Amino acid sequence: MKILGTGSVLPKKIVTNDDLSKFLDTSDEWITTRTGIKKRHVISDEKLEDMAAEAALKALEMAGKKPEDMDLFICSNVVNEYVTPSLACVVSEKIGVKCGCYDINCACPGFLFALDMADSYYKAGKAKNILIVCADEPSRMCDWTDRSTCVLFGDGAGAVVLGEGDNVLATKINSQPNVDKLWETRILESTPYINKMELNMPLQMKGKDVFKFAVSASTTEVVALLDSIGMKKEDVGYYIVHQANMRIIDAIKNFLGEPEEKFPTNIADHGNSSSASCLILLDECNRRGLFKKDDILVFSAFGAGLLSAAAIVRW
Ligand code: COA
């Protein structure tokens, strides 16, 4: 497959670290030093499905494809207002996509899980033109009185259209199941028969453990995946790393011994937008003309599960 088009959409409301320090015991200095985040876009009056649809249309336009050309549509999402149908169905109705579609919930590395699936469909001859949309609103998962989580996240949607080509060189998905590190639960509708304890808990995170997992999973997987196709780090043009924390990105960069210019980032402006993060960054870099033909892009992402994944794409 080949990436034919990219798109992204951010909510219009921008919340700075100083805005947060007005109602939280935090500061611009703490958030900037510990995370690299200066501001984030959060949903106010937007609907996530509208942002997802707009991102998809932007990617389709760049790809020169119509919604009805798609053979498969995979949507990565953790939560949205619809329990059913899937966000993929809601977006399909909005933009006129008519192929089989479904949601995956693979948290922050969702784009790379979707890419891995898309690659398998393509190689099996079951789909040629594939739409992937990653849309997440983690701001709606946090307790906004909990300074250790809510300062980290922003909302957004990203999309790619994939078509015929041989540019997806390798993908690998992984898990180290450990629910306790990053989780959220919600209470479902009651019934006359429910007699168990259920909890409505906003996002809970063991930050230091997630940090260590992210750095170790990413570095191990990037090295192994490059090795699996006989590539060296010198062959890599850019690393598109999940934008969770600038210190995580720096640690990965230092471990790999790679220069800063190979690591484009947007975390300062957007925070962590879960599975949308890699695609928003990809689209921003693409639209400003950063990538040249044949550049090697290495993707790496990690998150709740604990899940992680990597991919290598020739531009
Ligand atoms: N402002 C000010 N102080 C804060 C704060 C905030 N927003 N959040 C936490 N603190 C405080 C803590 O309460 C703690 O205080 P204490 O020492 O009095 O107990 C202190 O800062 C240090 O907290 P700690 O958790 O040790 O900080 P840290 O250096 O590990 O940084 C994270 C915290 C969350 C930024 C960091 O662990 C991290 O980014 N982890 C990865 C999280 C992530 O990316 N998750 C998503 C993955 S997809």
Side-chain angles (χ1 to χ4, degrees), residues 55-77:
L57 288 174
K58 285 182 176 178
L60 284 161
E61 187 188 12
M62 187 187 285
K65 298 275 183 191
K66 297 194 209 61
E68 55 269 31
D69 297 335
M70 296 299 107
D71 305 314
L72 174 69
F73 171 22
I74 308 172
C75 188
S76 162
N77 169 256

Side-chain angles (χ1 to χ4, degrees), residues 129-185:
N129 295 308
I130 302 176
L131 173 64
I132 297 176
V133 172
C134 299
D136 272 311
E137 44 186 337
S139 74
R140 305 300 304 282
M141 299 167 65
C142 297
D143 170 357
W144 280 73
T145 63
D146 176 4
R147 64 180 184 174
S148 69
T149 52
C150 74
V151 305
L152 303 173
F153 296 97
D155 305 324
V160 284
V161 171
L162 299 148
E164 282 182 90
D166 56 2
N167 298 51
V168 176
L169 304 181
T171 60
K172 182 79 173 79
I173 59 172
N174 296 295
S175 79
Q176 293 179 31
N178 199 334
V179 173
D180 181 48
K181 304 295 184 201
L182 188 49
W183 60 277
E184 173 176 356
T185 56

